[in-house]
Amino acid sequence: MRSWMIAFCIGVVSAAWLPHLPSATWLLWLALPLPLLFRYRVLRVPGALLLGVWWLAWQGRQTLDEWWPVTSAPSEVWAEGVVWRLPVNTAQGQRVVFKLERLCAAAALSDCEAGGWQRDARLLQLSTYEPLTLAPGQRWRWQVRLRRPHGFANPGAYDYEAWLLQQRIAALGYVRDTHSAVLLEENSGSQILERLRHDLLQRLNHAGTGLKQLPYIIALTLGDGSGIDADAWALFNRTGTTHLMVISGSHITLAAGLCLWLLRRLWCLSARLPLLWPAPFAAALAGLGGAWFYTALAGFNLPAQRALLMSLLSLGAILLRRQTGLWQGLLTALALVLAVDPLAPQLPGFWLSFIAVAMLTLAVLRDAGGKAWWHGAWRLLRSQGYISVALLPLMGLLFQQVSWSAPLCNLLAIPCIELVATPLSLLCLLLATLSPTLATPLLQLTDTLLAWYLAGLRGFDAAVPEPLWTLPWLSLLGRVLLIALVVALLLSRRWWLRLTWLAALPAVLLLREPRLPPGVVSLSVLDVGQGAAIVVRTREHQLLYDTGPRYSEQLDAGSAAVLPVLRFHGIKQLDRVIVSHADLDHAGGIDAVLAQYTQALYQTSEPGMFPARVSQQLCRAGQQWQWDGIVFDLLSPDEHPGSRNNGSCVLRIRAGTQVALLTGDIERAREHQLLAQGLSGPLTLLVAPHHGSATSSSPAFLNALRPAHVVFTTGYLNRYHHPAPAVVARYEKAGAQTWYTLRSGALTFTLDSQTATPAITQQRLLRPRFWGEPLP
């Protein structure tokens, strides 16, 4: 049985790397021989492996087939359905998951009522930008504007499309006109648990009015961390304590343990109850109830599901008078999670959660016993050591960044949060459901204790120099060797073997991306949507041209795309940051870059963009420098830039006969001025001026420069309709090969002074995934 489960899990996980999935019809045909494999003992393990592959492919195909079709413009439809999950407050309004019941593509509601409604059961993620009182279980009718799920594809960055796939979100959109939105039913009777979470949230907000740490109490009790600000999340990231502020497996295990301990104590106070039913059985049932209820409060997120399954297996074994090993329980929980949701491995939290529990299991099995206090302290230190040794390299591979101070910080933070703050927060929630007056004193106490905890965490962070280490992207051999060394280190029992493996780790970390030779320059045009961000690298120097757009008050391209890509390449210091002009689609990510790279020279076309603490200079035509045999020239603006767009910093990069031109948002007037100043071709690479707007890329400009490759940095279904079809046709007529970041993801052009043509890589083809196929 164990070998079957292992094979099934391997099949599910390995299938996640498939670049394409067969159609549903083919998958049905492929399922027919699977039962025959289980009739023969020798074929059962391969059959379980193939079953895992098939199950992932089937679920993935079903989910992808439900995605909104690719359209040339967002689709305006009427939708009726139910608010499916707890709404999330944003700076612009609210974000909500909406379960469709009926859909109508007609423009007028009267046409829908005349027979235009069609049954639908897909999940949508909608945003509302005007006040609406939303709660789970409500049935609404509104006009929405929808588009296919689409995320950005950049090396080292978060895969938003994978998250949408795992959440089964079929379309993204927003409520077009809240005045036409109609609440059809306040409580549809569905989503009872989500409705309960919403009611508890309202009670906590009412009882804790004015408390500064209330968002943390809500996060610890209901798993809703939307109220925690970005600075706090950055603090948790630097100290490695993010997992403590989301309801994870350790929180569920704590709840189960507290319920088990408390009921067993109370049960044994009675003389008759243990005779009716043994105390261990009653305590196990209470532990299961506590684990299930806390998991429900968390909205059944993935780490909580894993802990609930582990609790069910271990406490269920007590109720059934059976013994189950720790490894068997973990393997069964893994197989059950993958059977329920085979798309779960697409999320990093899946791996972090199960590996952390595996390390705790290993630490428990190697425990030598002992009841003295120092034995308990040693168990805590060793468990933390096992988890750190396993997770720090894994987080480095997943995020290219680890907090080296996390093990020490967690030794202090875990008892504070899990043994003090979490039980107190749950008790506050319980009292708030009974009476806000009863909950207020305890909420104030919890608020004070959390304030002390956060102050201590900030002090610890301030005292630690450079808490985050950057791990650049390793080669395939480097990743395999790193994982093998970590496994060997964890399984070794002799101290000299452990020292040997530790000594070998630095050598493995050298198997990173090779440095560029002299005379070679790499330009990575990042996929940031409607905006621009370009990373330029030579052998010894790095330059960032534009920082991408700002998407919302909480999110910008600097933190979501630029910094992950820089970490991916192991870039610890930028030499220059050039922001072509102040428009938010080019300068929206500058704050994140400024916070991380303070020693760079910052240049732009307009004064006052950067704080006085950084070295800065205005872009002016005629500025030139040379790095590693590569020549950089600023061609614009001059002393009279004109409009903001025409004042963009224009950068030319020359590697022998290969030339790249980065143009910002210049328009025809500036293009003609550059030609009059002597700019000529041919160009190897041109980043299209103003994203391919009809106001740029004049025929004279293209005829003079004769670009071999042109890149359009545009967003999916952007409201400006960039690039203009006439502009694209103009480039194609001029013989240029056209590239689109929204189709290819990040595009990297490597220009070598010794060759005549560039090497080109597309991120979506470099790491193909079945859910991230390029748009047509």
Side-chain angles (χ1 to χ4, degrees), residues 368-603:
K371 297 183 178 180
W373 67 267
W374 58 83
H375 289 128
W378 172 244
R379 291 189 193 100
L380 178 63
L381 285 171
R382 188 172 60 175
S383 299
Q384 186 63 43
Y386 274 97
I387 293 175
S388 300
V389 169
L391 292 191
L392 289 183
L394 177 62
M395 294 182 70
L397 291 176
L398 291 174
F399 309 115
Q400 282 74 59
Q401 197 173 53
V402 296
S403 172
W404 67 266
S405 62
L408 177 60
C409 188
N410 274 277
L411 285 175
L412 305 174
I414 288 175
C416 292
I417 294 298
E418 297 201 349
L419 299 181
V420 179
T422 299
L424 285 176
S425 298
L426 289 171
L427 188 55
C428 290
L429 181 66
L430 176 62
L431 293 176
T433 60
L434 301 175
S435 169
T437 305
L438 289 175
T440 299
L442 190 59
L443 277 169
Q444 292 174 343
L445 172 63
T446 309
D447 182 83
T448 302
L449 293 176
L450 281 171
W452 291 350
Y453 165 76
L454 291 170
L457 203 61
R458 293 189 184 98
F460 179 90
D461 179 56
V464 174
E466 297 187 10
L468 292 177
W469 281 351
T470 297
L471 179 67
W473 184 250
L474 299 177
S475 65
L476 178 60
L477 176 62
R479 282 173 277 164
V480 171
L481 288 178
L482 179 61
I483 294 172
L485 278 179
V486 170
V487 172
L489 180 63
L490 291 167
L491 296 181
S492 300
R493 291 181 176 269
R494 299 184 181 277
W495 64 268
W496 59 270
L497 272 177
R498 294 177 179 174
L499 289 179
T500 301
W501 303 133
L502 279 174
L505 280 175
V508 173
L509 298 180
L510 295 177
L511 298 173
R512 51 174 292 182
E513 182 182 27
R515 296 168 63 192
L516 295 171
V520 176
V521 60
S522 170
L523 295 93
S524 296
V525 186
L526 304 189
D527 181 14
V528 294
Q530 186 66 24
I534 303 168
V535 177
V536 182
R537 297 180 297 126
T538 66
R539 180 175 178 82
E540 302 289 346
H541 299 275
Q542 296 84 30
L543 178 148
L544 175 64
Y545 182 90
D546 282 339
T547 62
R550 177 177 291 276
Y551 309 115
S552 67
E553 292 297 323
Q554 295 87 10
L555 184 65
D556 59 70
S559 57
V562 174
L563 294 186
V565 170
L566 295 177
R567 288 196 295 265
F568 177 88
H569 291 297
I571 298 175
K572 298 181 179 179
Q573 183 57 52
L574 288 170
D575 295 281
R576 291 197 188 214
V577 176
I578 299 177
V579 180
S580 61
H581 60 301
D583 282 359
L584 278 183
D585 57 338
H586 294 256
I590 188 60
D591 290 341
V593 177
L594 281 167
Q596 189 72 25
Y597 297 96
T598 58
Q599 303 301 317
L601 172 64
Y602 285 82
Q603 292 187 267

Side-chain angles (χ1 to χ4, degrees), residues 85 95 97 125 158-169 346-347 771:
R85 296 174 191 164
R95 186 173 63 250
V97 175
Q125 182 172 281
Y158 183 72
D159 193 340
Y160 183 52
E161 285 180 2
W163 181 86
L164 293 171
L165 180 84
Q166 193 273 332
Q167 295 291 308
R168 271 66 173 187
I169 303 297
Q346 317 310 324
L347 304 183
W771 63 86

Side-chain angles (χ1 to χ4, degrees), residues 48 58 69 89 138 144 218 220 248 252 255 356 360 407 452 460 488 613 649-650 743 745:
W58 176 258
N89 292 322
Q138 290 177 340
V144 295
I218 292 173
L220 290 173
S248 60
I252 304 301
L360 286 175
W452 291 350
F460 179 90
R613 59 184 171 84
C649 302
V650 177
R743 296 178 183 174

Side-chain angles (χ1 to χ4, degrees), residues 6-329:
I6 293 174
F8 174 77
C9 294
I10 292 175
V12 172
V13 171
S14 60
W17 294 85
L18 291 173
H20 307 284
L21 294 179
S23 67
T25 303
W26 270 106
L27 286 170
L28 287 174
W29 280 105
L30 292 173
L32 294 178
L34 286 177
L36 299 177
L37 298 177
F38 289 91
R39 294 187 59 184
Y40 305 97
R41 182 180 298 273
V42 71
L43 296 178
R44 287 175 184 172
V45 172
L49 178 71
L50 293 176
L51 178 62
V53 173
W54 182 89
W55 183 232
L56 181 281
W58 176 258
Q59 288 290 314
R61 172 50 60 194
Q62 294 292 103
T63 303
L64 288 179
D65 286 347
E66 289 183 348
W67 275 17
W68 200 257
V70 177
T71 56
S72 59
S75 306
E76 289 189 6
V77 298
W78 288 92
E80 283 187 9
V82 177
V83 176
W84 202 243
R85 296 174 191 164
L86 196 67
V88 175
N89 292 322
T90 65
Q92 293 81 20
Q94 289 180 296
R95 186 173 63 250
V96 64
V97 175
F98 188 69
K99 177 76 168 181
L100 280 173
E101 292 178 342
R102 297 198 301 173
L103 195 68
C104 176
L109 182 58
S110 58
D111 295 335
C112 297
E113 301 297 346
W117 289 109
Q118 294 181 350
R119 289 290 176 184
D120 205 316
R122 289 179 285 184
L123 285 178
L124 312 178
Q125 182 172 281
L126 300 176
S127 298
T128 63
Y129 301 115
E130 296 180 31
L132 284 176
T133 304
L134 300 176
Q138 290 177 340
R139 178 175 282 110
W140 285 85
R141 180 179 66 224
W142 41 33
Q143 191 176 28
V144 295
R145 183 169 286 180
L146 302 177
R147 63 176 177 86
R148 184 181 179 85
H150 180 74
F152 306 135
N154 295 295
Y158 183 72
D159 193 340
Y160 183 52
E161 285 180 2
W163 181 86
L164 293 171
L165 180 84
Q166 193 273 332
Q167 295 291 308
R168 271 66 173 187
I169 303 297
L172 304 176
Y174 62 91
V175 178
R176 187 176 181 276
D177 183 9
T178 55
H179 298 292
S180 64
V182 177
L183 178 61
L184 302 175
E185 193 174 358
E186 177 61 36
N187 189 353
S188 63
S190 60
Q191 295 304 95
I192 297 175
L193 288 176
E194 288 295 316
R195 187 82 180 187
L196 174 62
R197 293 180 70 212
H198 180 266
D199 293 342
L200 292 174
L201 176 61
Q202 298 300 105
R203 291 177 181 271
L204 267 182
N205 280 324
H206 177 63
T209 302
L211 298 180
K212 293 183 178 179
Q213 316 311 327
L214 184 61
Y216 303 97
I217 298 174
I218 292 173
L220 290 173
T221 53
L222 298 172
D224 180 11
S226 61
I228 300 177
D229 60 53
D231 291 338
W233 286 119
L235 172 66
F236 299 149
N237 181 48
R238 291 193 301 271
T239 54
T241 55
T242 302
H243 64 101
L244 296 177
M245 278 301 157
V246 293
I247 299 179
S248 60
S250 59
H251 296 76
I252 304 301
T253 305
L254 172 68
L258 285 175
C259 292
L260 185 148
W261 175 83
L262 181 61
L263 191 73
R264 181 161 186 165
R265 292 286 182 179
L266 294 176
W267 201 266
C268 291
L269 292 178
S270 170
R272 297 186 59 186
L273 289 176
L275 298 176
L276 296 174
W277 204 30
F281 296 164
L285 189 61
L288 279 176
W292 182 88
F293 186 71
Y294 201 9
T295 304
L297 288 180
F300 288 97
N301 66 51
L302 187 60
Q305 287 181 30
R306 187 265 309 155
L308 177 61
L309 288 172
M310 289 289 293
S311 300
L312 177 63
L313 293 170
S314 57
L315 298 178
I318 295 175
L319 292 172
L320 297 174
R321 295 179 174 88
R322 293 178 177 271
Q323 289 187 348
T324 179
L326 293 176
W327 288 118
Q328 180 66 34

Side-chain angles (χ1 to χ4, degrees), residues 321-357:
R321 295 179 174 88
R322 293 178 177 271
Q323 289 187 348
T324 179
L326 293 176
W327 288 118
Q328 180 66 34
L330 179 61
L331 178 59
T332 305
L334 175 62
L336 287 174
V337 167
L338 293 179
V340 173
D341 184 8
L343 300 177
Q346 317 310 324
L347 304 183
F350 169 87
W351 300 99
L352 298 175
S353 175
F354 272 99
I355 290 177
V357 176

